[in-house]
Amino acid sequence: MTATPGGMESQLVIAPMVVVLVTAVGSLLLSRRPRARAAVSIAGGAAYAIAVGAIDWYIVLAPDAPGIATYQVGDWPAPFGITLVADGLSAFMLTMVAVLGVASLVFSTRHLPGGGGRSYYFPLFHFLALGVTGAFLTGDLFNLFVWFEVMLMASYVFVAYSGGPQHTRAAFWYVALNLLASAIFLLGVGGIYATTGTLNMADLALRLADPAAYGLDPVPVVGLLGLLLSVFAIKAGLVPFQFWIPTAYRAAPPQITALLAGATKKVGIYAIIRLSFTVFAGAEVAVDFPIPLLGLSIAGDSPLPFVGAALFLMAGASILVGGIGAVGRDSMEGVFAYSSIGQVGFIAIPVAIAATTIDPGLRELAIVAALVYALNHTLAKGLLFLAVGAVRSATGTSRFADLGGIASRSPPLAIAVFVGSLALVGIPPLSGFFGKFLVFEAAAKARAGSVLVLLLVGSLLTIAYATRTWNRSFWGAQTDAVETSTVDSVQVAVLVLLAATIVAVGVGFEPVYAFAEAAAEAALDTEGYVDAVDPIDASELDDSTGGDH
Amino acid sequence: MTTVIMRTTARAIVPIILVVAISLFFEGHNLPGGGFIGGVLTVTAFAIIYMAFGLDFLERGILGRDVDPGKGPSRDRVVVAYRRLFAYGFAIAVGSGLVPLLFGRPFLTQTYESLEGVPIYGYLGIASALVFDFGVYCVVVGGLLTILSVVGAE
């Protein structure tokens, strides 16, 4: 058994996961001492942020950084063991989660939502973070499935957390839908294993790039990728798989919904980008998929055009359904839940452009656009859902009918929400402006006129619902519920800090852009990914004694 | 369900189930078996006891404690113990994964020690994976029994 090439970079890869695991154990053991548990949770959150920051700097951003690092869990070499891989894309995603996760964690220590399972709130929070972290770091398709399940287990409990009839009903649908999705995921994974004989992502990319050398028939992979894509679309909440989002987001505590919208949704987006570009882009499969009604046909020599076409349809519909749905809601979290559906469409459109174009420059630009937009959505939507939590813990309600005049009651809270809404709309110099700008630029460069129109309509709808939410709850005369409320100062401080982050990302956009560019390069660099993981050729082992185990 | 037939059968099969569960647990690291399946089998033994003798039997009949009938099931001392078993088991599993880091090996690396000339057995292989498996066993037993006794009481 060969030792993994050591080095600090390699150790860093697993650091966030170990930190979350230990924090989860600690908070579980301290279930009798709420204060100690909250302290351990905060310390764990801080350690997590430091670990992710170290990955960002030492693996991706430092001048002499390797750009990618791997960790062979249990000292089993790839492709037999589980490989963890941290590259630019993983690091970018982890950074978004770390920022929002710490904010939500600090927020949660102030006002734990009621319900029966209060003592399990923090352990579950850490398990949710563990699932998200594992999904971003794993280099193995089956292990990705496992982390999805870890993430889901925790989120099931959170959706049912408040324990009322409507929460139980929402949780029931959520569980039923996700069990179905997991079954489809497993089916796709099993099919890919049967077709290619491996589930290590690097090994998979290697085999699909040269199927003849491995004696494979890669054609079924296109359909299996379609299966996986539908599962990831469910997680991301793209139309036609969006229907679970409004009820589940309304049922979960707002500070958890912030994570569901900001982090677990992005896992779906991440999985689409990672599998489509890093793993399947090099697959040698001739695709010819006629669309009889339009007289078009999708053709190419990799599964990407197929992915692109499917994503265009889903993303376009998401923008319209989410935007139109958000305009008519009667509560803050209702608006933001529908808004999440629309915003994920904005993230998926550039991914679709990247999948259909053959110009490598445009492909990279489009992925950068998707990542920057995802970052903005995580920050802005996270802030807005946390604001729902702050409003609800202060006034006891988040329905527009009972709200009004919060701006005069708590100006800092209003300013934070104002910044978050403007970031969602995309006003310079906030982070949202650059997200929207890059998405429009990618669409313009792709000469996709209809997409531009769609994006424009989506942006107008965003302005409409953001304005309406602001007018209904923050302006006007104070209602009774608002007049008698006291806003928690720590919660408002968290919101103001998040708002400051949004402004900072917009004002100091250059390093963020460089980071997103490194992430996009990593997503497209199949060769670098395969080299770093360096899977052993399993067929060679058959000739010898079958390895040294 | 608390018929004479059920009780008599339970007396006979519960020890057998437990022995099988323990043997599955011990051979798990290199044969089919392990902490998870051993744990599930152990829970089925408990489930049969619950079905044959009632939910209070463990506390009253075996541990000899007085049970306050009006109490919520989640406050029973035995349920608290299940929960603690879950937490400790999880700590053991994670801790066993962390130990190799002290020796400069990757997370979750396992090894084994062979003992020759052991009385009766002759040869005995002790795998470090057993510690991780024990953690898993505790998590499964603690978690499932918590669910079983709380949901069963409702």
Side-chain angles (χ1 to χ4, degrees):
Chain A
M1 189 187 286
T2 51
T4 337
M8 186 193 60
E9 286 88 1
S10 178
Q11 301 296 322
L12 275 178
V13 176
I14 202 168
M17 274 165 82
V18 170
V19 166
V20 186
L21 264 174
V22 171
T23 317
V25 173
S27 61
L28 207 55
L29 291 176
L30 289 169
S31 63
R32 294 274 189 81
R33 301 189 190 83
R35 273 166 185 276
R37 196 182 44 208
V40 164
S41 293
I42 297 288
Y48 182 81
I50 291 169
V52 171
I55 286 184
D56 289 348
W57 179 251
Y58 289 107
I59 296 181
V60 184
L61 295 175
D64 55 347
I68 185 166
T70 62
Y71 190 91
Q72 313 286 3
V73 178
D75 221 355
W76 292 89
F80 307 111
I82 294 166
T83 313
L84 301 180
V85 187
D87 63 355
L89 184 60
S90 307
F92 191 84
M93 291 288 175
L94 283 174
T95 310
M96 298 188 332
V97 172
V99 172
L100 182 61
V102 171
S104 171
L105 199 56
V106 175
F107 193 95
S108 299
T109 55
R110 292 304 292 182
H111 182 264
L112 263 193
R118 213 174 261 215
S119 59
Y120 286 102
Y121 182 90
F122 283 111
L124 282 167
F125 189 101
H126 299 303
F127 278 117
L128 188 65
L130 175 67
V132 173
T133 311
F136 287 148
L137 285 175
T138 187
D140 184 281
L141 204 51
F142 184 77
N143 198 229
L144 182 68
F145 170 78
V146 172
W147 292 123
F148 265 69
E149 290 300 301
V150 171
M151 193 168 84
L152 285 172
M153 286 294 164
S155 66
Y156 292 156
V157 184
F158 278 128
V159 172
Y161 188 80
S162 307
Q166 76 272 33
H167 307 110
T168 312
R169 198 178 54 191
F172 179 79
W173 282 111
Y174 184 65
V175 170
L177 174 74
N178 278 298
L179 281 182
L180 186 68
S182 298
I184 297 173
F185 195 171
L186 209 52
L187 205 64
V189 168
I192 285 179
Y193 188 65
T195 313
T196 64
T198 186
L199 288 175
N200 181 292
M201 292 187 199
D203 203 23
L204 205 55
L206 203 60
R207 285 169 181 236
L208 287 173
D210 191 7
Y214 293 88
L216 307 174
D217 174 19
V219 173
V221 161
V222 183
L224 293 166
L225 181 61
L227 275 187
L228 295 185
L229 207 61
S230 66
V231 174
F232 301 148
I234 290 178
K235 302 289 182 273
L238 284 164
V239 173
F241 306 113
Q242 89 295 356
F243 45 87
W244 62 273
I245 286 195
T247 43
Y249 279 21
R250 261 198 300 258
Q255 46 269 63
I256 295 300
T257 309
L259 273 189
L260 292 181
T264 63
K265 246 180 188 222
K266 304 304 182 296
V267 174
I269 296 290
Y270 164 82
I272 291 174
I273 294 179
R274 174 66 86 204
L275 282 187
S276 308
F277 295 100
T278 315
V279 179
F280 285 94
E284 287 281 337
V285 196
V287 176
D288 192 0
F289 189 73
I291 304 175
L293 284 178
L294 301 174
L296 291 171
S297 93
I298 302 160
D301 45 10
S302 85
L304 277 185
F306 168 72
V307 172
L311 274 181
F312 263 128
L313 288 179
M314 293 197 284
S318 301
I319 290 178
L320 294 178
V321 169
I324 294 168
V327 173
R329 295 303 109 187
D330 58 0
S331 66
M332 288 175 79
E333 70 271 20
V335 171
F336 298 144
Y338 271 93
S339 152
S340 285
I341 299 170
Q343 298 290 314
V344 164
F346 275 97
I347 301 170
I349 283 280
V351 179
I353 291 174
T356 36
T357 183
I358 44 166
D359 170 14
L362 176 57
R363 180 171 283 184
E364 191 181 319
L365 171 75
I367 293 189
V368 169
L371 291 175
V372 171
Y373 206 103
L375 169 70
N376 173 58
H377 181 244
T378 293
L379 293 175
K381 195 54 67 63
L383 186 158
L384 291 174
F385 272 119
L386 289 180
V388 173
V391 168
R392 229 196 253 176
S393 61
T395 65
T397 178
S398 52
R399 298 176 63 82
F400 291 141
D402 307 324
L403 292 175
I406 300 175
S408 54
R409 183 81 204 168
S410 171
L413 173 64
I415 290 169
V417 171
F418 190 63
V419 171
S421 306
L422 289 187
L424 213 55
V425 172
I427 303 288
L430 304 171
S431 59
F433 166 71
F434 293 100
K436 277 235 161 75
F437 179 78
L438 287 167
V439 172
F440 274 100
E441 190 186 351
K445 277 202 178 151
R447 298 179 195 285
S450 52
V451 174
L452 277 175
V453 173
L454 190 72
L455 291 173
L456 213 58
V457 172
S459 303
L460 290 176
L461 286 169
T462 312
I463 296 174
Y465 65 70
T467 318
R468 180 168 170 272
T469 308
W470 176 261
N471 286 348
R472 295 292 290 270
S473 42
F474 286 85
W475 261 348
Q478 293 185 15
T479 57
D480 295 342
V482 174
E483 229 168 88
T484 54
S485 64
T486 36
V487 182
D488 186 284
S489 51
V490 173
Q491 290 188 339
V492 172
V494 170
L495 292 175
V496 169
L497 280 178
L498 265 182
T501 312
I502 291 176
V503 176
V505 167
V507 172
F509 185 64
E510 260 192 48
V512 179
Y513 186 81
F515 193 5
E517 216 173 13
E521 272 166 25
L524 296 173
D525 185 11
T526 308
E527 208 171 305
Y529 190 84
V530 171
D531 282 349
V533 176
D534 192 20
I536 300 172
D537 189 347
S539 57
E540 278 171 21
L541 284 182
D542 296 339
D543 306 335
S544 64
T545 53
D548 46 3
H549 286 290
Chain B
M1 287 297 272
T2 55
T3 59
V4 178
I5 299 176
M6 182 72 190
R7 288 176 182 222
T8 317
T9 319
R11 280 210 183 99
I13 61 175
V14 163
I16 300 174
I17 294 177
L18 287 178
V19 169
V20 174
I22 290 167
S23 80
L24 273 178
F25 164 67
F26 273 112
E27 63 189 22
H29 48 275
N30 51 11
L31 285 170
F36 180 81
I37 194 67
V40 173
L41 210 55
T42 308
V43 172
T44 60
F46 276 81
I48 289 173
I49 294 178
Y50 276 149
M51 283 195 293
F53 300 98
L55 277 175
D56 289 339
F57 178 71
L58 267 185
E59 295 241 45
R60 207 177 292 172
I62 294 181
L63 301 173
R65 292 176 185 154
D66 287 330
V67 179
D68 182 1
K71 246 181 352 182
S74 56
R75 289 197 168 66
D76 277 0
R77 273 194 285 178
V78 63
V79 175
V80 172
Y82 294 155
R83 285 189 185 172
R84 226 177 276 160
L85 185 67
F86 173 82
Y88 290 149
F90 193 54
I92 291 170
V94 174
S96 80
L98 290 175
V99 169
L101 295 179
L102 298 179
F103 297 95
R105 313 290 293 189
F107 187 59
L108 283 177
T109 305
Q110 306 295 347
T111 181
Y112 60 93
E113 195 65 53
S114 306
L115 301 177
E116 306 278 353
V118 181
I120 304 172
Y121 274 93
Y123 166 86
L124 193 61
I126 298 178
S128 64
L130 208 60
V131 181
F132 179 79
D133 256 351
F134 181 66
V136 174
Y137 180 86
C138 294
V139 169
V140 172
V141 172
L144 284 180
L145 282 180
T146 309
I147 296 171
L148 204 65
S149 43
V150 173
V151 176
E154 281 175 7

